[in-house]
Amino acid sequence: MTLSGLTHLLLINMPIPVNLKAHIPTILVVFGATGDLMTKKIVPSLFHLFEAGRLPKHFKLIGFSHRQLDQAGFKKHVLEILKHHKDSATQRKNFSRFVKLVEYQPGDFEKFSSYRDLAKTVDKADDGWGICTNKLFYLAVPPKYYRQIFTNLEKSGLTKPCSPAEGWSRVLVEKPFGDDFKTAQELAKFLASLFKEEQIFIIDHYLGKEMVQNILAARFSNNLFEHIFNSEYIQSISLTLLEKKGVEQRGPFYDAVGALRDVGQNHLLQLLALLTMNAPLSLDAKYIRERRAEILKYLKPLTQSEIKRHTFRAQYQNFDQISGVKKGSQTETYFKVRGFLTHPRWKGVPFTMEAGKRLKTVDKKVILTIRHTTPCLCPGSSEHYQNKIIFSIEPTEGIAIEFWSKKPGLEWQIERRELDFTFREKSITSQYTEEYEKLLFDCIVGDQTLFVSTQEIQSMWKFIDPIISAWQKNAVPLHQYQPNTDKVRDKAKLLINGEAVAAGQQMTPQLGLVGLGKMGVGLALNLHDKGWQVHVYNRSPEKTRQLEKEGLVAAYSLEELIRQLPSPKVVWLMVSAGQPVDETIFGKNGLVSFLKKGDYIIDGGNSFYEDTIKRAKKLASLGINYIDCGVSGGPEGARHGACLMVGGRTKDQKYLSQLFIDLAVHQGVSFFDGYGAGHFVKMVHNGIEYGMMQAMAEGFDILKNSKYKLHLSKVAQLYNHGSVIESRLVGWLKEAFDLFGDDLKKVSGQAKESGEGRWTVAVAKKRGIAAKVIKDSLEARKRSQKRPNYQGKVIQALRHQFGGHNLK
């Protein structure tokens, strides 16, 4: 049996169009043909393709199962499926035509003789059509039968083509693909020994959903917002799959698998891959699958402590009363998991997967929350207005963008609005059937775009395995929830965000802040915006009263401040370095007079790191924990997101970690082990800052005194657009020129030095390290005190722009 010469040339020498591929004679063999999958998905989907004229002209469906049915009995079984399918009321006239395409082969999955009988049935079809057909082998059976079926298929010769150019064979495999990474890896190796990757079609029916495919279209067929799909703009990703229905007749299967394996390991992680993958070279299946596999390799497996803090599981009441479910079952029917990708494009952006059964409403969607603007222009409110991009899958299908608009009227009031695109009316679709129509059609034409590769599966299991293992050891308790309510969602949200607090692993979002200068006020308001209860104290009470009007809790003595705080008490100092720090901590009626063992002091000022070490040791003898934190970014950074350099003991840093994360700009916090380490890093940072500012001062002094009439603001603007020295400092200098003119007449030529540059030079000298640039910049500032100059003006203008320092 050979193809015609023309078709042979087409197959060998040129790509085959989809419409031609779809009409190559094909036989679909379904193992487990009398099961639930055949009834609910395969038969209705094939019938829809048949009615739409999308099946090959020569097509045959061969059912393979252990049930002893004759041909008439199986055809009757298929006919009953069609009659009961809810979309088939007006299509009965075509039932008999479709049933003519159906045959049945009874057999045992484990007996090789059954495959010889199947081969005879397949050969009979080939002989009848006078051509070598393409063959699809669909395993609609539990995974325990996979190895035996594949072995017998290969051994029987059923999967071998008639020739290199005739009669391809493909295998379709349902999820779950393995029970864990090890079994998935073993199964992948086994399949690879029998088939090429292009022959293996692993089904995740979620990829066949129209709105899931629309994620690809929305991202890569438009230029609207693909440039913001990264950590700079996206704050978080939420993936939700909530159902009203329960386990029903799937008790034995579901009890063995659980919600995380059933939909988390596959559906939700596939959605994550589509949202976060880099742009493919084209929309060809090869490139899309490569990109999905690439991003999934960056899934960060959770540690045991992270699993306890960032995962939640629950089971709806009376689940173990379902037929086939073991009494006292520990299988979850709801879960919530928080994770991260380590890919540079998405580093620091949390994703949350949430799924469950028997909940109040059906809600299947993904949400990308966009970071709020900095500064947040939120008139009359401390709320941060944020935009969201929402891909809705069920109960409605569409894409929505949440944005904020002014309300009509004289006052400036903002309200949430939505720009949405509804894909279609839900009434015209049928769950599962449409997805399987697409997947079966794509398998016939050989398009693997919407099928999962073995590389993707193994990466997904690597992320899921540690969670399953920890849950099996009861590291995370199994909660119970009442069906048809959403109370479990509130509990999951509370525990995932606050379980570490309840367990004493992280602090309560409440602290005292001492020192209300420009930086202190900014930090206090920043935390207040994030939902923290901030108690404030300042030696002069005017600033305290002012913040009290903003909703912060006022204290008018250190004793009152400490009394207001819950234990263990956390106090953040934002006072000047040196004696003011010592007086605040150790002086008469200082903090140590009121703090107890286990409380915390954080020094956020610019203290010399050696002083920090001494204070930490002294406080340790009293049982009080001490953390040092260098804060960079000026008043603007303090208010809207600073750069934080945190030192101290690792266990104390972990306990306080959410505080630092909430105060920092995105990816703007790092932890360094050891007392004084944070202040040491900040000291060197400021020393480097001295050198950079001096270089800019010298360079712009040269520009100003050149023979050319240069507009220095224009030069600074140019430098800050694509040049090697593009930086925030150059931007601030440009703003200073705009404010004060190129001559900077209103700015003092005496450049101040705050101590950290001096400390950096001293430490370098002590350790025998050359620090010529920093030392020279320090000396230049000292000289400017006696002989004010233009370079001093540039430095002082910069200090005013980023730190609010006096111009004079």
Side-chain angles (χ1 to χ4, degrees):
M1 295 178 287
T2 60
L3 292 170
S4 69
L6 173 61
T7 307
H8 183 82
L9 286 173
L10 283 171
L11 281 171
I12 292 178
N13 296 322
M14 60 182 294
I16 304 175
V18 168
N19 60 347
L20 181 57
K21 289 181 180 180
H23 289 284
I24 296 175
T26 302
I27 295 174
L28 170 60
V29 179
V30 179
F31 292 87
T34 56
D36 195 52
L37 192 62
M38 184 80 159
T39 299
K40 291 183 177 179
K41 302 174 183 178
I42 299 174
V43 168
S45 300
L46 287 172
F47 179 69
H48 284 191
L49 288 173
F50 169 73
E51 280 215 311
R54 306 308 294 269
L55 289 180
K57 180 180 179 180
H58 295 298
F59 178 83
K60 189 172 291 294
L61 169 62
I62 300 177
F64 186 101
S65 182
H66 61 85
R67 285 179 60 180
Q68 292 301 312
L69 294 173
D70 57 17
Q71 297 298 329
F74 184 68
K75 290 177 183 288
K76 182 180 179 181
H77 172 67
V78 172
L79 189 60
E80 289 299 314
I81 293 173
L82 294 175
K83 288 179 180 178
H84 288 90
H85 185 54
K86 65 180 180 180
D87 287 349
S88 301
T90 61
Q91 302 159 347
R92 293 174 182 262
K93 62 182 181 181
N94 292 320
F95 289 175
S96 58
R97 292 175 52 226
F98 178 78
V99 170
K100 290 179 181 179
L101 308 179
V102 175
E103 288 192 25
Y104 187 64
Q105 177 65 55
D108 190 319
F109 299 148
E110 299 180 6
K111 290 184 178 179
F112 181 66
S113 59
S114 296
Y115 294 82
R116 284 200 299 262
D117 294 338
L118 177 62
K120 292 177 183 177
T121 302
V122 170
D123 287 342
K124 181 180 177 182
D126 280 8
D127 292 339
W129 289 332
I131 194 169
C132 181
T133 58
N134 299 325
K135 299 167 184 72
L136 309 179
F137 299 96
Y138 193 139
L139 274 63
V141 298
K144 64 180 180 180
Y145 295 114
Y146 286 1
R147 184 175 289 270
Q148 190 67 57
I149 291 174
F150 286 136
T151 300
N152 285 328
L153 277 174
E154 198 274 337
K155 185 179 178 182
S156 68
L158 277 164
T159 58
K160 294 178 181 177
C162 303
S163 73
E166 292 182 287
W168 48 250
S169 61
R170 296 175 184 138
V171 294
L172 286 89
V173 184
E174 280 280 349
K175 71 173 183 69
F177 190 87
D179 298 316
D180 51 26
F181 172 74
K182 182 179 178 182
T183 55
Q185 187 180 46
E186 290 173 350
L187 183 55
K189 287 182 179 179
F190 176 68
L191 280 176
S193 70
L194 303 178
F195 308 104
K196 297 177 180 179
E197 181 72 23
E198 57 265 29
Q199 291 179 280
I200 304 169
F201 285 67
I202 302 171
I203 292 177
D204 181 340
H205 74 266
Y206 247 67
L207 291 178
K209 288 183 176 291
E210 287 284 0
M211 280 311 302
V212 174
Q213 296 174 64
N214 251 321
I215 294 175
L216 283 175
R219 286 191 61 190
F220 304 126
S221 297
N222 300 284
N223 195 26
L224 291 173
F225 38 59
E226 172 59 17
H227 68 284
I228 70 168
F229 272 54
N230 55 62
S231 62
E232 183 179 355
Y233 293 97
I234 302 300
Q235 177 176 306
S236 63
I237 300 172
S238 171
L239 307 113
T240 306
L241 202 166
L242 307 177
E243 300 178 292
K244 290 178 68 174
K245 68 179 182 180
V247 171
E248 278 85 36
Q249 307 304 315
R250 301 172 67 214
F253 166 79
Y254 204 88
D255 192 32
V257 175
L260 185 58
R261 282 194 182 108
D262 188 42
V263 299
Q265 182 271 335
N266 36 69
H267 301 341
L268 293 179
L269 288 179
Q270 278 294 306
L271 286 172
L272 178 68
L274 291 173
L275 288 165
T276 57
M277 61 186 259
N278 285 338
L281 295 177
S282 76
L283 292 179
D284 182 80
K286 175 181 182 294
Y287 298 115
I288 292 175
R289 280 158 56 97
E290 282 179 355
R291 289 304 196 198
R292 290 200 315 249
E294 175 188 57
I295 194 66
L296 288 170
K297 288 180 181 178
Y298 287 92
L299 280 168
K300 178 184 178 295
L302 300 179
T303 64
Q304 290 300 300
S305 62
E306 288 171 335
I307 290 170
K308 292 177 181 179
R309 297 199 309 271
H310 299 317
T311 74
F312 176 92
R313 62 184 183 127
Q315 181 188 97
Y316 64 78
Q317 293 171 2
N318 297 322
F319 170 75
D320 65 354
Q321 304 299 311
I322 296 172
S323 176
V325 175
K326 295 177 182 178
K327 300 302 178 186
S329 168
Q330 293 296 294
T331 299
E332 78 287 349
T333 58
Y334 170 92
F335 71 86
K336 191 168 185 178
V337 171
R338 188 169 184 255
F340 291 88
L341 292 163
T342 59
H343 191 282
R345 180 173 180 170
W346 294 101
K347 192 171 182 180
V349 178
F351 68 85
T352 303
M353 302 192 302
E354 181 185 20
K357 292 187 172 294
R358 292 298 302 274
L359 294 165
K360 186 176 181 180
T361 56
V362 175
D363 191 11
K364 302 178 182 181
K365 63 188 176 187
V366 295
I367 300 175
L368 293 97
T369 300
I370 301 174
R371 298 184 184 281
H372 63 75
T373 57
T374 303
C376 179
L377 302 178
C378 309
S381 171
S382 61
E383 180 183 358
H384 284 296
Y385 297 124
Q386 293 181 273
N387 306 122
K388 294 181 179 180
I389 302 172
I390 304 168
F391 293 89
S392 297
I393 302 170
E394 287 186 43
T396 57
E397 295 177 295
I399 304 173
I401 300 174
E402 281 191 5
F403 66 101
W404 296 84
S405 172
K406 180 187 176 297
K407 290 182 179 180
L410 299 177
E411 296 181 347
W412 185 277
Q413 292 183 325
I414 302 296
E415 63 181 345
R416 180 187 285 109
R417 304 299 291 265
E418 193 172 90
L419 180 68
D420 76 275
F421 152 70
T422 301
F423 182 61
R424 61 183 169 186
E425 294 298 326
K426 193 62 182 174
S427 59
I428 68 172
T429 68
S430 176
Q431 189 179 32
Y432 299 132
T433 302
E434 181 181 65
E435 296 98 283
Y436 275 80
E437 283 181 53
K438 173 63 175 169
L439 295 172
L440 287 168
F441 178 78
D442 282 359
C443 187
I444 289 171
V445 301
D447 185 349
Q448 289 184 300
T449 303
L450 304 180
F451 294 86
V452 188
S453 67
T454 54
Q455 293 93 334
E456 293 172 78
I457 287 172
Q458 291 179 59
S459 294
M460 293 188 289
W461 276 123
K462 283 182 179 180
F463 177 75
I464 295 296
D465 275 0
I467 302 173
I468 295 291
S469 176
W471 287 1
Q472 289 173 342
K473 297 173 184 175
N474 208 33
V476 175
L478 180 69
H479 298 268
Q480 293 287 316
Y481 64 97
Q482 184 179 351
N484 308 317
T485 71
D486 281 341
K487 292 181 179 179
V488 69
R489 300 190 67 195
D490 296 331
K491 193 170 188 179
K493 182 178 181 180
L494 174 66
L495 288 182
I496 284 206
N497 295 331
E499 187 176 56
V501 171
Q505 297 167 344
Q506 287 187 4
M507 68 178 291
T508 303
Q510 189 172 354
L511 87 163
L513 195 147
V514 177
L516 299 179
K518 292 185 289 289
M519 296 292 287
V521 168
L523 293 172
L525 291 174
N526 189 352
L527 286 173
H528 181 64
D529 289 347
K530 307 286 176 53
W532 287 69
Q533 188 173 103
V534 185
H535 303 250
V536 293
Y537 166 75
N538 196 63
R539 281 189 302 176
S540 56
E542 292 79 14
K543 291 184 178 179
T544 306
R545 294 192 188 99
Q546 184 179 351
L547 285 183
E548 188 175 18
K549 294 177 183 178
E550 298 280 343
L552 285 76
V553 183
Y556 294 96
S557 70
L558 289 177
E559 182 180 7
E560 182 185 5
L561 180 81
I562 301 305
R563 191 170 59 246
Q564 292 172 352
L565 298 174
S567 293
K569 302 173 190 297
V570 179
V571 181
W572 184 297
L573 300 186
M574 214 63 197
V575 298
S576 300
Q579 188 176 354
V581 177
D582 287 323
E583 287 181 354
T584 305
I585 298 175
F586 302 110
K588 185 179 179 181
N589 295 321
L591 289 172
V592 296
S593 302
F594 313 111
L595 294 176
K596 296 180 179 180
K597 186 177 180 179
D599 292 337
Y600 293 82
I601 296 176
I602 304 166
D603 183 1
N606 287 331
S607 291
F608 183 42
Y609 81 100
E610 290 183 355
D611 294 339
T612 299
I613 295 171
K614 294 174 184 177
R615 292 177 189 129
K617 290 179 179 178
K618 190 173 180 180
L619 287 168
S621 69
L622 301 174
I624 297 172
N625 305 300
Y626 196 55
I627 293 285
D628 51 293
C629 179
V631 182
S632 182
E636 180 70 16
R639 180 64 183 88
H640 299 292
C643 175
L644 304 181
M645 308 156 214
V646 186
R649 296 186 302 179
T650 300
K651 71 172 187 176
D652 297 333
Q653 294 169 351
K654 288 183 177 179
Y655 178 77
L656 302 168
S657 61
Q658 194 58 52
L659 167 64
F660 299 117
I661 290 169
D662 284 351
L663 277 175
V665 71
H666 173 56
Q667 295 188 8
V669 58
S670 280
F671 301 94
F672 307 95
D673 187 45
Y675 293 126
H679 281 154
F680 183 83
V681 173
K682 177 60 163 58
M683 176 190 75
V684 176
H685 162 279
N686 280 29
I688 295 170
E689 177 188 296
Y690 272 47
M692 292 173 68
M693 291 169 66
Q694 182 63 30
M696 289 174 59
E698 292 172 5
F700 277 86
D701 196 4
I702 295 169
L703 289 167
K704 182 177 180 296
N705 290 286
S706 73
K707 66 178 182 179
Y708 302 104
K709 293 183 179 181
L710 300 173
H711 189 342
L712 298 188
S713 174
K714 189 175 181 180
V715 174
Q717 182 178 23
L718 177 64
Y719 282 172
N720 219 33
H721 285 79
S723 82
V724 173
I725 63 169
E726 180 179 359
S727 65
R728 297 178 76 187
L729 282 172
V730 174
W732 281 318
L733 184 56
K734 191 265 182 193
E735 291 174 5
F737 286 137
D738 289 343
L739 285 171
F740 308 115
D742 288 358
D743 290 333
L744 300 174
K745 287 184 179 180
K746 294 183 179 181
V747 181
S748 170
Q750 294 176 308
K752 302 292 184 181
E753 62 100 359
S754 57
E756 294 208 327
R758 183 174 2 108
W759 298 338
T760 305
V761 172
V763 169
K765 181 179 180 180
K766 185 177 180 180
R767 302 193 178 202
I769 299 171
K772 187 176 188 305
V773 171
I774 300 175
K775 181 180 178 182
D776 288 349
S777 64
L778 175 65
E779 294 302 320
R781 292 195 185 195
K782 290 179 179 179
R783 288 194 299 272
S784 73
Q785 301 304 306
K786 296 180 179 179
R787 295 188 296 277
N789 53 49
Y790 185 76
Q791 293 181 18
K793 285 177 176 286
V794 171
I795 292 170
Q796 203 60 16
L798 282 168
R799 295 181 76 242
H800 172 74
Q801 289 303 108
F802 69 72
H805 299 285
N806 291 332
L807 291 170
K808 298 297 184 182

